[in-house]
Amino acid sequence: EPELNSFAEFYIDKWDENTSEDVIAESFTDFWWDTDKACRRCSECGRLMRAGYCADMGVAYYCSDECLHSDFTDEEWAEECENN
């Protein structure tokens, strides 16, 4: 709760009714990037996520099996896990 209030106070004067969902989502990831509540954005669908898959040391993130398999087969993902 205190973190959400801090987030809201920081951005309240920066957003208005014309602020895009992309800007808001990026604000979440920026605000919580280096915290214990890190928030990322799925590289495939754009959803905010706190759990899922990370490819190539953070080059891409995937929120679900469906999003992951849009870029990787099971074999390619196994190789990615071995190498990175």
Side-chain angles (χ1 to χ4, degrees):
E1 185 79 20
E3 288 111 346
L4 287 174
N5 288 335
S6 176
F7 174 80
E9 287 172 11
F10 184 78
Y11 284 102
I12 198 160
D13 294 332
K14 296 173 177 53
W15 294 342
D16 61 22
E17 64 276 356
N18 297 317
T19 303
S20 74
E21 290 180 7
D22 282 337
V23 168
I24 293 170
E26 288 301 315
S27 299
F28 269 86
T29 59
D30 291 347
F31 191 83
W32 276 292
W33 188 264
D34 287 325
T35 71
D36 63 341
K37 294 181 172 97
C39 181
R40 303 292 187 256
R41 240 179 135 189
C42 180
S43 300
E44 184 63 26
C45 72
R47 284 188 189 144
L48 291 174
M49 56 183 270
R50 293 198 49 213
Y53 301 97
C54 173
D56 198 16
M57 304 296 287
V59 170
Y61 296 95
Y62 302 94
C63 67
S64 65
D65 291 342
E66 182 180 331
C67 286
L68 174 71
H69 292 304
S70 67
D71 287 342
F72 290 93
T73 65
D74 286 335
E75 294 78 22
E76 290 169 334
W77 183 247
E79 185 177 327
E80 169 68 18
C81 292
E82 291 275 327
N83 294 329
N84 291 312

